[in-house]
Amino acid sequence: MSQTLTPRIALRLSSRSSSTASARWIESPCRNFCAFHASSPLCAPRTLRSFSKFPPLWKKAGKANKSHAKTDSSPPVGQAGEPTPTDDIYDMAELEASILKAIEKLTHDLGQLRSGGRLNPDIVENLKVQLGTAGQGKETLRLGDIAQVVPRGRVLNIICGDDAHIKPVTTAIAASPHSLTPLAPEQNNPLTIQVPLPPPTGDTRRDAIEAAKKAAEKADAMVQRARQEHNKLVRKYEVNRDVRPDDVQKSKKRMEEVVKKGHDEVKRITDGAKKVLESQ
């Protein structure tokens, strides 16, 4: 009995040892394989290669990137400084403005001239009218402020706003130096004063042309006064030696060119007005 059990126990022990060894033999390659995968990946990561031998370009610091730029090569621009004497002698703005005023006044004066039986309504509107009495106090107003002037052909209709203004307005028109004779208001239009324009004559044309010449002379005188003012400024800097002689000569040449253009414009406007006055 004992002899029979001994081989069986030995057989069991031998079978256990063999299974354990086989399990160890099978398990060890798995562990080695897992360790191999953990230590060495299957695919190595790619590395980016640069084919340019120059360094990368940096974006220029502009308006959008100025806040991110480290330095700003352009210094900040402050307010402009005061004009120098050289700037003053080359600046013709004031001279040109004075010449422009002279031309505007000439155009206005020529527009007020009357010839050929025509009369500018502004002339009548600018007449002075005295309202009130000596006891109540007199008041001088512009005719255009109390009445409306409506030209219709060779007749001017003066439409008053009040019956009390009819007589003062009629007196002011009759006393004007334009040879106007106002008519009494009609019954159907009690507030309207009709002023017929006198027919054209040679005297009226000559007077208008003479007035145009005087207006042109006034405009030329204004241009000359503007030139004198600018020339005084240049002369002051020249005496004080604040500017170079070359700049003085150049500025004077430019001044004369501006003045000549002003005189030419005055002559052109006056000649055109004379032709219109002579043809009417």
Side-chain angles (χ1 to χ4, degrees):
M1 184 71 180
S2 60
Q3 294 178 356
T4 307
L5 293 174
T6 302
R8 291 181 178 178
I9 294 171
L11 180 61
R12 290 178 181 176
L13 292 174
S14 62
S15 61
R16 287 182 180 179
S17 61
S18 62
S19 62
T20 303
S22 61
R24 289 178 180 176
W25 183 85
I26 294 173
E27 185 180 3
S28 59
C30 294
R31 290 181 179 178
N32 295 335
F33 181 76
C34 294
F36 173 77
H37 275 279
S39 61
S40 60
L42 294 178
C43 297
R46 294 184 179 180
T47 57
L48 297 178
R49 297 179 59 188
S50 177
F51 293 95
S52 176
K53 60 182 180 179
F54 299 102
L57 299 177
W58 298 100
K59 191 174 182 180
K60 186 177 180 180
K63 292 182 179 180
N65 299 322
K66 188 172 289 185
S67 59
H68 303 287
K70 294 182 180 180
T71 58
D72 188 8
S73 58
S74 59
V77 179
Q79 297 181 354
E82 295 294 332
T84 62
T86 304
D87 297 333
D88 290 339
I89 64 175
Y90 279 108
D91 187 8
M92 304 292 168
E94 188 173 354
L95 175 62
E96 292 175 349
S98 300
I99 294 175
L100 181 60
K101 289 181 180 179
I103 294 175
E104 290 177 351
K105 188 177 186 307
L106 172 65
T107 305
H108 179 267
D109 293 342
L110 294 178
Q112 301 294 320
L113 298 180
R114 167 197 165 203
S115 178
R118 297 183 181 180
L119 184 66
N120 193 334
D122 294 339
I123 297 177
V124 180
E125 291 180 354
N126 292 327
L127 295 177
K128 301 300 180 180
V129 180
Q130 289 186 355
L131 301 179
T133 60
Q136 298 177 355
K138 293 184 179 181
E139 182 182 6
T140 302
L141 297 176
R142 181 172 166 270
L143 189 146
D145 296 336
I146 59 177
Q148 182 180 3
V149 181
V150 180
R152 289 185 179 179
R154 296 177 55 83
V155 177
L156 292 179
N157 292 330
I158 314 299
I159 304 174
C160 300
D162 193 352
D163 294 337
H165 298 164
I166 296 295
K167 186 177 180 179
V169 170
T170 303
T171 303
I173 295 174
S176 67
H178 304 295
S179 302
L180 300 177
T181 304
L183 303 178
E186 299 178 356
Q187 294 182 356
N188 54 352
N189 292 322
L191 298 179
T192 302
I193 303 173
Q194 293 184 352
V195 182
L197 300 179
T201 61
D203 294 337
T204 57
R205 291 191 181 95
R206 284 191 296 270
D207 293 341
I209 294 174
E210 189 65 25
K213 291 180 180 179
K214 292 181 179 180
E217 292 175 358
K218 291 181 180 179
D220 286 332
M222 292 179 64
V223 173
Q224 284 300 116
R225 285 196 296 269
R227 177 191 176 279
Q228 292 175 1
E229 292 297 329
H230 188 78
N231 194 31
K232 287 180 181 178
L233 178 66
V234 177
R235 180 60 180 169
K236 182 184 72 172
Y237 288 135
E238 183 182 8
V239 172
N240 296 335
R241 299 182 182 274
D242 294 331
V243 293
R244 298 182 305 175
D246 293 343
D247 292 330
V248 172
Q249 297 298 327
K250 291 179 181 179
S251 64
K252 286 185 177 181
K253 182 179 179 181
R254 185 178 299 181
M255 176 188 66
E256 296 298 340
E257 292 176 354
V258 173
V259 172
K260 184 178 182 301
K261 289 181 180 179
H263 286 302
D264 293 343
E265 186 67 14
V266 170
K267 185 177 183 302
R268 185 188 67 82
I269 295 175
T270 306
D271 291 343
K274 288 180 181 179
K275 290 180 180 179
V276 174
L277 295 173
E278 291 173 354
S279 62
Q280 293 178 351

Coordinates of all heavy atoms in Angstrom, one line a residue, residues 179-251:
S179 N -34.0 158.5 -60.8 CA -35.0 159.1 -61.7 C -36.2 158.1 -61.8 O -36.7 157.8 -62.9 CB -34.4 159.3 -63.1 OG -33.3 160.1 -63.0
L180 N -36.7 157.8 -60.6 CA -37.9 156.9 -60.6 C -39.1 157.7 -60.2 O -39.1 158.6 -59.3 CB -37.7 155.8 -59.6 CG -36.5 154.8 -59.9 CD1 -36.3 153.8 -58.8 CD2 -36.7 154.1 -61.2
T181 N -40.3 157.4 -60.8 CA -41.5 158.1 -60.5 C -42.6 157.0 -60.1 O -43.2 156.4 -60.9 CB -42.0 158.8 -61.7 OG1 -41.0 159.7 -62.2 CG2 -43.3 159.6 -61.4
P182 N -42.8 156.9 -58.8 CA -43.8 155.9 -58.3 C -45.2 156.4 -58.6 O -45.5 157.6 -58.6 CB -43.5 155.8 -56.8 CG -42.9 157.1 -56.5 CD -42.1 157.5 -57.7
L183 N -46.1 155.4 -58.9 CA -47.5 155.7 -59.2 C -48.3 155.4 -58.0 O -47.9 154.6 -57.1 CB -48.0 154.8 -60.4 CG -47.2 155.0 -61.7 CD1 -47.8 154.1 -62.8 CD2 -47.3 156.5 -62.2
A184 N -49.5 156.0 -57.9 CA -50.4 155.8 -56.8 C -51.0 154.4 -56.8 O -51.2 153.9 -57.9 CB -51.5 156.9 -56.8
P185 N -51.2 153.8 -55.7 CA -51.8 152.4 -55.7 C -53.2 152.4 -56.3 O -54.0 153.4 -56.2 CB -51.8 152.0 -54.2 CG -50.9 152.9 -53.6 CD -50.9 154.2 -54.3
E186 N -53.5 151.3 -57.0 CA -54.8 151.2 -57.6 C -55.8 150.7 -56.5 O -55.4 150.2 -55.5 CB -54.7 150.1 -58.7 CG -53.8 150.6 -59.9 CD -53.7 149.5 -61.0 OE1 -54.3 148.4 -60.8 OE2 -53.1 149.8 -62.0
Q187 N -57.1 150.8 -56.9 CA -58.1 150.5 -55.9 C -58.1 149.0 -55.6 O -58.4 148.5 -54.5 CB -59.5 150.9 -56.4 CG -59.6 152.5 -56.4 CD -61.0 152.9 -56.9 OE1 -61.9 152.0 -57.2 NE2 -61.3 154.2 -56.9
N188 N -57.9 148.2 -56.7 CA -57.9 146.7 -56.4 C -56.7 146.2 -55.8 O -56.7 145.1 -55.2 CB -58.1 146.0 -57.8 CG -57.1 146.4 -58.8 OD1 -56.3 147.3 -58.6 ND2 -57.1 145.7 -59.9
N189 N -55.6 147.0 -55.8 CA -54.3 146.6 -55.1 C -53.9 147.8 -54.3 O -53.0 148.6 -54.6 CB -53.2 146.2 -56.1 CG -53.5 144.9 -56.8 OD1 -54.1 144.0 -56.2 ND2 -53.2 144.9 -58.1
P190 N -54.5 148.1 -53.1 CA -54.2 149.3 -52.4 C -52.8 149.3 -51.7 O -52.3 150.3 -51.3 CB -55.3 149.4 -51.3 CG -55.7 147.9 -51.1 CD -55.6 147.3 -52.5
L191 N -52.2 148.1 -51.6 CA -50.9 148.0 -50.9 C -49.7 147.9 -51.9 O -48.6 147.6 -51.5 CB -50.9 146.8 -50.0 CG -51.9 146.9 -48.8 CD1 -51.7 145.6 -48.0 CD2 -51.6 148.1 -48.0
T192 N -50.0 148.0 -53.2 CA -49.0 147.8 -54.3 C -48.7 149.1 -54.9 O -49.6 149.8 -55.5 CB -49.4 146.8 -55.3 OG1 -49.7 145.5 -54.7 CG2 -48.3 146.6 -56.4
I193 N -47.4 149.5 -55.0 CA -46.9 150.7 -55.6 C -46.2 150.3 -56.9 O -45.2 149.6 -56.8 CB -46.0 151.5 -54.7 CG1 -46.7 151.9 -53.4 CG2 -45.5 152.8 -55.4 CD1 -45.8 152.5 -52.4
Q194 N -46.7 150.8 -58.0 CA -46.0 150.5 -59.3 C -45.0 151.6 -59.7 O -45.3 152.8 -59.6 CB -47.1 150.3 -60.4 CG -48.0 149.1 -60.3 CD -48.9 149.0 -61.4 OE1 -49.0 149.9 -62.3 NE2 -49.7 147.9 -61.5
V195 N -43.8 151.1 -60.0 CA -42.7 152.1 -60.4 C -42.3 151.7 -61.8 O -41.5 150.8 -62.0 CB -41.6 152.0 -59.4 CG1 -40.5 153.0 -59.8 CG2 -42.0 152.2 -58.0
P196 N -42.7 152.5 -62.8 CA -42.3 152.2 -64.2 C -40.8 152.7 -64.4 O -40.4 153.7 -63.9 CB -43.2 153.0 -65.1 CG -43.7 154.1 -64.2 CD -43.8 153.5 -62.8
L197 N -40.1 151.9 -65.1 CA -38.7 152.2 -65.4 C -38.6 153.1 -66.6 O -39.2 152.9 -67.6 CB -37.9 150.9 -65.6 CG -37.9 149.9 -64.5 CD1 -37.1 148.7 -64.9 CD2 -37.3 150.5 -63.2
P198 N -37.8 154.2 -66.5 CA -37.7 155.1 -67.6 C -37.0 154.4 -68.8 O -36.2 153.5 -68.6 CB -36.8 156.2 -67.1 CG -36.1 155.6 -65.9 CD -36.9 154.6 -65.4
P199 N -37.3 154.9 -70.0 CA -36.6 154.3 -71.2 C -35.1 154.6 -71.2 O -34.6 155.5 -70.6 CB -37.3 155.0 -72.4 CG -37.8 156.2 -71.8 CD -38.1 156.0 -70.4
P200 N -34.3 153.7 -71.8 CA -32.9 153.9 -71.9 C -32.5 155.1 -72.7 O -33.1 155.3 -73.8 CB -32.4 152.6 -72.4 CG -33.5 152.0 -73.2 CD -34.7 152.4 -72.5
T201 N -31.5 155.8 -72.3 CA -31.0 156.9 -73.1 C -29.5 156.8 -73.1 O -28.8 156.0 -72.4 CB -31.4 158.2 -72.4 OG1 -30.9 158.3 -71.1 CG2 -32.9 158.4 -72.4
G202 N -28.9 157.6 -74.0 CA -27.4 157.7 -74.1 C -26.8 158.1 -72.8 O -25.7 157.7 -72.4
D203 N -27.5 159.0 -72.1 CA -26.9 159.5 -70.8 C -26.8 158.4 -69.8 O -25.8 158.3 -69.0 CB -27.7 160.7 -70.3 CG -27.7 161.9 -71.3 OD1 -26.7 162.0 -72.0 OD2 -28.6 162.7 -71.2
T204 N -27.9 157.6 -69.7 CA -27.9 156.6 -68.7 C -26.8 155.5 -69.0 O -26.1 155.0 -68.1 CB -29.2 155.9 -68.7 OG1 -29.6 155.4 -70.0 CG2 -30.3 156.8 -68.2
R205 N -26.6 155.3 -70.3 CA -25.5 154.3 -70.6 C -24.1 154.9 -70.3 O -23.3 154.2 -69.7 CB -25.6 154.0 -72.1 CG -26.8 153.2 -72.5 CD -26.6 152.7 -73.9 NE -27.8 151.9 -74.4 CZ -28.8 152.4 -75.1 NH1 -28.8 153.7 -75.4 NH2 -29.8 151.6 -75.4
R206 N -23.9 156.1 -70.6 CA -22.6 156.8 -70.3 C -22.4 156.8 -68.8 O -21.3 156.6 -68.3 CB -22.6 158.2 -70.9 CG -22.3 158.2 -72.4 CD -22.0 159.6 -72.9 NE -23.1 160.5 -72.7 CZ -24.1 160.7 -73.6 NH1 -24.0 160.0 -74.8 NH2 -25.0 161.5 -73.4
D207 N -23.5 157.1 -68.0 CA -23.3 157.2 -66.6 C -23.0 155.8 -66.0 O -22.1 155.7 -65.1 CB -24.6 157.7 -66.0 CG -24.9 159.2 -66.3 OD1 -23.9 159.9 -66.7 OD2 -26.0 159.6 -66.2
A208 N -23.6 154.8 -66.6 CA -23.3 153.4 -66.1 C -21.9 153.0 -66.4 O -21.2 152.4 -65.6 CB -24.3 152.5 -66.7
I209 N -21.4 153.3 -67.6 CA -20.1 153.0 -68.0 C -19.1 153.7 -67.1 O -18.0 153.2 -66.7 CB -19.9 153.3 -69.5 CG1 -20.7 152.3 -70.3 CG2 -18.4 153.1 -69.8 CD1 -20.7 152.6 -71.8
E210 N -19.4 155.0 -66.8 CA -18.5 155.8 -66.0 C -18.4 155.2 -64.6 O -17.4 155.2 -63.9 CB -18.9 157.2 -66.0 CG -18.0 158.2 -65.3 CD -16.6 158.3 -66.0 OE1 -16.6 158.1 -67.3 OE2 -15.6 158.6 -65.4
A211 N -19.6 154.8 -64.1 CA -19.6 154.2 -62.8 C -18.8 152.9 -62.7 O -18.2 152.5 -61.7 CB -21.1 153.9 -62.3
A212 N -18.9 152.1 -63.8 CA -18.1 150.9 -63.9 C -16.6 151.1 -63.9 O -15.9 150.4 -63.2 CB -18.5 150.1 -65.2
K213 N -16.2 152.2 -64.5 CA -14.8 152.6 -64.5 C -14.3 152.9 -63.1 O -13.3 152.5 -62.6 CB -14.5 153.7 -65.4 CG -14.6 153.4 -66.9 CD -14.3 154.6 -67.8 CE -14.5 154.3 -69.2 NZ -14.2 155.5 -70.1
K214 N -15.2 153.7 -62.4 CA -14.8 154.1 -61.0 C -14.8 152.8 -60.1 O -13.9 152.7 -59.2 CB -15.8 155.1 -60.5 CG -15.8 156.4 -61.2 CD -16.8 157.4 -60.6 CE -16.7 158.7 -61.3 NZ -17.7 159.7 -60.7
A215 N -15.7 151.9 -60.3 CA -15.7 150.7 -59.5 C -14.4 149.9 -59.7 O -13.8 149.3 -58.8 CB -16.9 149.8 -59.8
A216 N -13.9 149.9 -61.0 CA -12.7 149.1 -61.3 C -11.5 149.8 -60.7 O -10.6 149.2 -60.2 CB -12.5 149.1 -62.8
E217 N -11.5 151.2 -60.7 CA -10.4 151.9 -60.0 C -10.3 151.6 -58.5 O -9.2 151.4 -58.0 CB -10.6 153.4 -60.3 CG -10.4 153.8 -61.8 CD -10.7 155.3 -62.0 OE1 -11.1 155.9 -61.0 OE2 -10.5 155.7 -63.1
K218 N -11.5 151.5 -57.9 CA -11.5 151.2 -56.5 C -11.0 149.8 -56.2 O -10.2 149.5 -55.3 CB -12.9 151.3 -55.9 CG -13.5 152.7 -55.9 CD -14.9 152.7 -55.3 CE -15.4 154.2 -55.3 NZ -16.8 154.2 -54.7
A219 N -11.3 148.9 -57.1 CA -10.8 147.5 -56.9 C -9.3 147.4 -57.1 O -8.6 146.7 -56.4 CB -11.6 146.6 -57.9
D220 N -8.8 148.1 -58.1 CA -7.4 148.1 -58.3 C -6.6 148.8 -57.2 O -5.5 148.3 -56.8 CB -7.0 148.9 -59.6 CG -7.4 148.1 -60.9 OD1 -7.3 146.9 -60.8 OD2 -7.7 148.8 -61.9
A221 N -7.3 149.8 -56.6 CA -6.6 150.4 -55.4 C -6.6 149.4 -54.2 O -5.6 149.4 -53.5 CB -7.4 151.7 -55.0
M222 N -7.6 148.7 -54.0 CA -7.6 147.7 -53.0 C -6.6 146.6 -53.2 O -5.9 146.1 -52.3 CB -9.0 147.0 -52.9 CG -10.1 147.9 -52.4 SD -11.7 147.1 -52.3 CE -11.4 145.9 -51.1
V223 N -6.4 146.2 -54.4 CA -5.3 145.2 -54.8 C -3.9 145.8 -54.4 O -3.1 145.1 -53.9 CB -5.4 144.8 -56.2 CG1 -4.2 143.9 -56.6 CG2 -6.7 144.1 -56.5
Q224 N -3.7 147.1 -54.8 CA -2.4 147.7 -54.5 C -2.2 147.9 -53.0 O -1.1 147.7 -52.5 CB -2.4 149.1 -55.2 CG -2.2 149.1 -56.7 CD -0.9 148.4 -57.0 OE1 -0.9 147.3 -57.7 NE2 0.2 149.0 -56.6
R225 N -3.2 148.2 -52.2 CA -3.0 148.2 -50.8 C -2.7 146.9 -50.2 O -1.8 146.8 -49.3 CB -4.3 148.8 -50.1 CG -4.5 150.3 -50.3 CD -5.6 150.8 -49.3 NE -6.9 150.2 -49.6 CZ -7.8 150.8 -50.4 NH1 -7.5 151.9 -51.1 NH2 -9.0 150.2 -50.6
A226 N -3.3 145.8 -50.7 CA -2.9 144.5 -50.3 C -1.5 144.2 -50.6 O -0.7 143.6 -49.8 CB -3.8 143.5 -50.9
R227 N -1.0 144.6 -51.8 CA 0.4 144.4 -52.1 C 1.3 145.2 -51.2 O 2.4 144.7 -50.8 CB 0.6 144.9 -53.6 CG 2.1 144.8 -54.0 CD 2.3 145.5 -55.4 NE 3.7 145.5 -55.7 CZ 4.6 146.3 -55.3 NH1 4.2 147.2 -54.4 NH2 5.9 146.2 -55.7
Q228 N 1.0 146.4 -50.9 CA 1.8 147.2 -50.0 C 1.9 146.5 -48.6 O 3.0 146.5 -48.0 CB 1.2 148.6 -49.8 CG 1.3 149.4 -51.1 CD 0.6 150.8 -51.0 OE1 0.1 151.1 -49.9 NE2 0.6 151.5 -52.1
E229 N 0.9 146.0 -48.1 CA 0.9 145.3 -46.8 C 1.9 144.1 -46.8 O 2.7 143.9 -45.9 CB -0.5 144.9 -46.4 CG -1.4 146.0 -46.1 CD -1.0 146.9 -44.9 OE1 -0.3 146.3 -44.0 OE2 -1.3 148.1 -44.9
H230 N 1.8 143.3 -47.8 CA 2.7 142.2 -47.9 C 4.1 142.6 -48.1 O 5.1 142.0 -47.6 CB 2.3 141.2 -49.0 CG 3.0 139.9 -49.0 ND1 2.8 138.9 -48.1 CD2 4.1 139.5 -49.8 CE1 3.6 137.9 -48.3 NE2 4.4 138.2 -49.3
N231 N 4.3 143.7 -48.9 CA 5.7 144.2 -49.2 C 6.3 144.7 -47.9 O 7.5 144.6 -47.7 CB 5.6 145.2 -50.3 CG 7.0 145.5 -50.8 OD1 7.9 144.7 -50.9 ND2 7.2 146.8 -51.2
K232 N 5.5 145.3 -47.0 CA 6.0 145.8 -45.8 C 6.6 144.7 -44.9 O 7.6 144.8 -44.2 CB 5.0 146.6 -45.0 CG 4.6 148.0 -45.6 CD 3.5 148.6 -44.8 CE 3.2 150.0 -45.4 NZ 2.1 150.7 -44.6
L233 N 5.8 143.6 -44.9 CA 6.2 142.4 -44.1 C 7.6 141.9 -44.6 O 8.5 141.6 -43.9 CB 5.2 141.3 -44.2 CG 5.5 140.0 -43.5 CD1 5.5 140.3 -42.0 CD2 4.4 139.0 -43.8
V234 N 7.7 141.8 -45.9 CA 9.0 141.3 -46.5 C 10.1 142.2 -46.2 O 11.2 141.8 -45.9 CB 8.8 141.1 -48.0 CG1 10.1 140.6 -48.7 CG2 7.7 140.0 -48.3
R235 N 9.8 143.5 -46.3 CA 10.9 144.5 -46.1 C 11.3 144.5 -44.6 O 12.5 144.6 -44.3 CB 10.3 145.9 -46.4 CG 11.3 147.1 -46.2 CD 12.5 146.9 -47.1 NE 13.5 148.0 -46.8 CZ 14.7 148.0 -47.3 NH1 15.2 146.9 -48.0 NH2 15.5 149.0 -47.1
K236 N 10.4 144.3 -43.7 CA 10.8 144.2 -42.3 C 11.8 143.1 -42.0 O 12.8 143.2 -41.4 CB 9.6 144.0 -41.4 CG 9.9 144.0 -39.9 CD 8.6 143.7 -39.1 CE 8.2 142.3 -39.3 NZ 7.0 141.9 -38.4
Y237 N 11.5 141.9 -42.6 CA 12.4 140.7 -42.4 C 13.7 141.0 -43.1 O 14.8 140.5 -42.7 CB 11.7 139.5 -42.9 CG 10.6 139.0 -42.0 CD1 9.4 138.5 -42.5 CD2 10.8 138.9 -40.6 CE1 8.4 138.1 -41.7 CE2 9.8 138.5 -39.8 CZ 8.6 138.1 -40.3 OH 7.5 137.6 -39.5
E238 N 13.6 141.7 -44.2 CA 14.9 141.9 -45.0 C 15.8 142.9 -44.2 O 17.0 142.7 -44.2 CB 14.5 142.5 -46.3 CG 15.7 142.7 -47.2 CD 15.3 143.4 -48.6 OE1 14.2 143.7 -48.7 OE2 16.2 143.5 -49.5
V239 N 15.3 143.9 -43.6 CA 16.1 144.8 -42.8 C 16.7 144.2 -41.6 O 17.8 144.4 -41.3 CB 15.2 146.1 -42.5 CG1 16.0 147.0 -41.5 CG2 14.8 146.8 -43.7
N240 N 15.9 143.3 -41.0 CA 16.4 142.6 -39.8 C 17.3 141.4 -40.1 O 17.8 140.8 -39.1 CB 15.2 142.1 -38.9 CG 14.4 143.3 -38.4 OD1 14.9 144.4 -38.2 ND2 13.1 143.0 -38.1
R241 N 17.5 141.2 -41.4 CA 18.3 140.0 -41.8 C 17.8 138.7 -41.2 O 18.6 137.8 -40.8 CB 19.8 140.3 -41.4 CG 20.4 141.5 -42.0 CD 21.9 141.6 -41.6 NE 22.4 142.8 -42.2 CZ 23.0 142.9 -43.4 NH1 23.0 141.9 -44.2 NH2 23.5 144.1 -43.8
D242 N 16.5 138.6 -41.2 CA 15.9 137.3 -40.8 C 15.7 136.3 -41.9 O 15.5 135.1 -41.6 CB 14.5 137.6 -40.1 CG 14.6 138.4 -38.8 OD1 15.7 138.3 -38.2 OD2 13.7 139.1 -38.5
V243 N 15.9 136.8 -43.1 CA 15.7 135.9 -44.3 C 16.9 136.1 -45.2 O 17.6 137.1 -45.2 CB 14.4 136.1 -45.0 CG1 13.2 135.8 -44.1 CG2 14.3 137.6 -45.4
R244 N 17.1 135.1 -46.1 CA 18.2 135.2 -47.0 C 17.8 136.2 -48.2 O 16.6 136.2 -48.6 CB 18.5 133.9 -47.6 CG 19.0 132.9 -46.5 CD 19.4 131.6 -47.1 NE 18.3 131.0 -47.9 CZ 18.4 129.9 -48.6 NH1 19.6 129.2 -48.7 NH2 17.4 129.4 -49.3
P245 N 18.7 136.8 -48.8 CA 18.4 137.7 -50.0 C 17.7 136.9 -51.1 O 16.9 137.4 -51.8 CB 19.8 138.2 -50.4 CG 20.6 138.1 -49.2 CD 20.2 136.9 -48.5
D246 N 18.1 135.6 -51.4 CA 17.5 134.9 -52.4 C 16.0 134.6 -52.1 O 15.2 134.7 -53.0 CB 18.2 133.5 -52.6 CG 19.6 133.7 -53.1 OD1 19.9 134.8 -53.6 OD2 20.4 132.7 -53.0
D247 N 15.7 134.4 -50.9 CA 14.3 134.2 -50.5 C 13.5 135.5 -50.7 O 12.3 135.4 -51.0 CB 14.2 133.7 -49.1 CG 14.7 132.2 -48.9 OD1 14.7 131.5 -49.9 OD2 15.3 131.9 -47.8
V248 N 14.1 136.6 -50.4 CA 13.4 137.9 -50.5 C 13.1 138.1 -52.0 O 12.0 138.5 -52.3 CB 14.3 139.0 -50.0 CG1 13.7 140.4 -50.3 CG2 14.5 138.9 -48.5
Q249 N 14.0 137.8 -52.9 CA 13.8 138.0 -54.3 C 12.7 137.1 -54.8 O 11.8 137.5 -55.6 CB 15.1 137.9 -55.1 CG 16.2 138.9 -54.8 CD 15.7 140.3 -55.1 OE1 15.0 140.5 -56.0 NE2 16.2 141.2 -54.3
K250 N 12.8 135.8 -54.4 CA 11.8 134.9 -54.9 C 10.4 135.2 -54.3 O 9.4 135.1 -55.1 CB 12.2 133.5 -54.4 CG 13.4 132.9 -55.1 CD 13.8 131.6 -54.6 CE 15.0 131.0 -55.3 NZ 15.4 129.7 -54.8
S251 N 10.3 135.6 -53.1 CA 9.0 136.0 -52.5 C 8.4 137.2 -53.2 O 7.2 137.3 -53.4 CB 9.1 136.2 -51.0 OG 9.9 137.3 -50.7

